[in-house]
């Protein structure tokens, strides 16, 4: 039993709070402690009645039911897995920059959610985080169900197509891909690969609350193909999953459906 508290303690700061609040609020709605309807993002109560808390709770509240329980667990798995990988590897020692990523993607999800009438933001937000990791580690080989293996850059599109075929959905996954691409393009691709100006950057006030934990020269790293020998997470020489985090050893980084 001591392993569970140790595991929970080991989860990094932002991932721990995001996952914990999601679990608490979702279970509270499932068992009738709160009404999930009051926590979803709807245009009229959010704009006209100024119920601004819905922008936050729509990210954390998932209307859990027997029909979507497995999908919720899959979302929690992706949230835990890929948020940890970003927080402890790509943004290692730079909590303010990772916090800005979360805030930026969340704001984009809220705006698109209001326009596209998406009352629950967990799916697009999680997919946006997954998309950013996949773009920063695009040449890493990941595995999916039935033993299929492909580069990480294709994983968001595989999930989009899978949900489109199986459940007839796909809109929320597509929104997540769009949001993740907006952040990746503005923060990495446009300034670092195309030579454009830095259009978005972490506000200085974030560094006051979450100061860097080590010396940083410049923000982030360009996609792995741009610096093939500089980033340890960019090659396939580290085995299946290709993950080798600098601060923690998280194992082989299995993706959903990967045979162990």
């Amino acid at each position: 039993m001591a392993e569970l508290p140790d595991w929970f303690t080991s989860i990094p700061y932002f991932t721990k709070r995001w996952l914990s609040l999601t679990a608490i609020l979702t279970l509270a709605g499932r068992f009738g402690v709160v009404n999930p309807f009051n926590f979803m993002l709807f245009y009229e109560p959010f704009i006209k009645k100024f119920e601004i808390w819905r922008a936050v709770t729509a990210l954390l509240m998932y209307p859990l039911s027997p029909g979507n329980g497995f999908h919720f667990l899959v979302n929690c798995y992706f949230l835990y897995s890929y948020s940890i990988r970003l927080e402890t590897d790509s943004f290692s020692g730079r909590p303010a920059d990772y916090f800005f990523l979360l805030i930026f993607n969340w704001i984009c999800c809220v705006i698109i959610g209001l326009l596209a009438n998406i009352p629950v933001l967990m799916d697009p937000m999680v997919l946006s985080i997954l998309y950013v990791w996949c773009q920063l580690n695009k040449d890493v080989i990941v595995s999916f169900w039935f033993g299929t293996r492909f580069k990480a850059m294709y994983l968001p599109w595989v999930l989009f197509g899978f949900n489109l075929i199986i459940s007839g959905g796909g809109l929320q996954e597509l929104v997540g891909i769009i949001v993740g691409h907006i952040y990746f393009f503005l923060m990495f691709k446009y300034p670092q690969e195309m030579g454009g100006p830095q259009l978005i950057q972490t506000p200085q006030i974030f560094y006051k609350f979450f100061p860097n934990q080590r010396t940083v020269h410049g923000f982030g790293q360009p996609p792995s193909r741009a610096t093939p020998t500089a980033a340890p997470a960019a090659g396939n020489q580290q085995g299946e999953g290709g993950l080798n985090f600098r601060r923690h050893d998280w194992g082989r980084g299995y993706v959903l459906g990967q045979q162990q």
Side-chain angles (χ1 to χ4, degrees):
M1 293 297 294
E3 295 180 356
L4 184 59
D6 292 341
W7 164 79
F8 184 77
T9 303
S10 69
I11 302 176
Y13 184 86
F14 294 110
T15 304
K16 179 191 297 183
R17 281 151 181 78
W18 184 7
L19 183 62
S20 300
L21 290 173
T22 297
I24 292 172
L25 201 56
T26 297
L27 291 177
R30 178 68 180 90
F31 292 109
V33 179
V34 296
N35 184 356
F37 181 84
N38 295 329
F39 294 86
M40 297 180 187
L41 185 64
F42 296 106
Y43 181 85
E44 183 172 349
F46 179 75
I47 299 297
K48 296 183 178 181
K49 297 183 180 180
F50 205 60
E51 297 179 358
I52 58 176
W53 69 82
R54 292 177 180 266
V56 178
T57 56
L59 172 64
L60 304 173
M61 163 66 73
Y62 191 86
L64 193 61
S65 67
N68 62 14
F70 178 74
H71 184 76
F72 173 72
L73 292 178
V74 171
N75 273 342
C76 288
Y77 166 79
F78 282 137
L79 187 165
Y80 170 79
S81 181
Y82 289 95
S83 181
I84 278 183
R85 297 177 189 189
L86 282 176
E87 190 171 355
T88 60
D89 183 35
S90 302
F91 293 85
S92 177
R94 296 182 288 123
D97 295 329
Y98 185 62
F99 182 58
F100 175 66
L101 162 62
L102 295 176
I103 293 296
F104 181 87
N105 285 16
W106 165 67
I107 292 175
C108 291
C109 285
V110 170
I111 294 174
I112 299 178
L114 287 171
L115 295 176
N117 193 26
I118 300 176
V120 180
L121 301 180
M122 183 179 186
D123 281 66
M125 184 65 181
V126 170
L127 256 294
S128 73
I129 297 301
L130 181 147
Y131 181 90
V132 172
W133 181 88
C134 288
Q135 290 300 310
L136 292 174
N137 301 271
K138 58 177 57 180
D139 291 325
V140 172
I141 301 299
V142 298
S143 298
F144 198 59
W145 288 341
F146 313 116
T148 55
R149 304 178 75 239
F150 43 81
K151 291 184 178 181
M153 61 187 295
Y154 301 119
L155 178 59
W157 297 104
V158 170
L159 295 173
F160 165 71
F162 188 82
N163 195 51
L164 179 66
I165 295 172
I166 297 300
S167 63
L171 174 61
Q172 297 189 47
E173 286 78 9
L174 184 59
V175 170
I177 290 173
I178 293 173
V179 170
H181 185 73
I182 291 174
Y183 173 86
F184 178 78
F185 179 83
L186 295 178
M187 183 62 75
F188 293 103
K189 191 174 183 64
Y190 185 61
Q192 296 186 12
E193 289 191 355
M194 303 175 65
Q198 188 82 45
L199 298 178
I200 61 172
Q201 57 183 343
T202 305
Q204 288 300 315
I205 192 173
F206 286 9
Y207 294 109
K208 295 182 180 180
F209 292 100
F210 307 106
N212 288 335
Q213 299 171 4
R214 60 181 174 83
T215 302
V216 177
H217 300 284
F219 183 86
Q221 296 292 335
S224 56
R225 57 184 173 84
T227 55
T229 62
N236 297 332
Q237 300 176 356
Q238 302 168 33
E240 190 172 344
L243 300 177
N244 184 15
F245 298 107
R246 293 188 297 271
R247 296 171 63 88
H248 302 280
D249 181 11
W250 298 104
R252 302 169 65 191
Y254 291 101
V255 177
L256 179 64
Q258 183 173 359
Q259 295 181 357
Q260 302 184 24

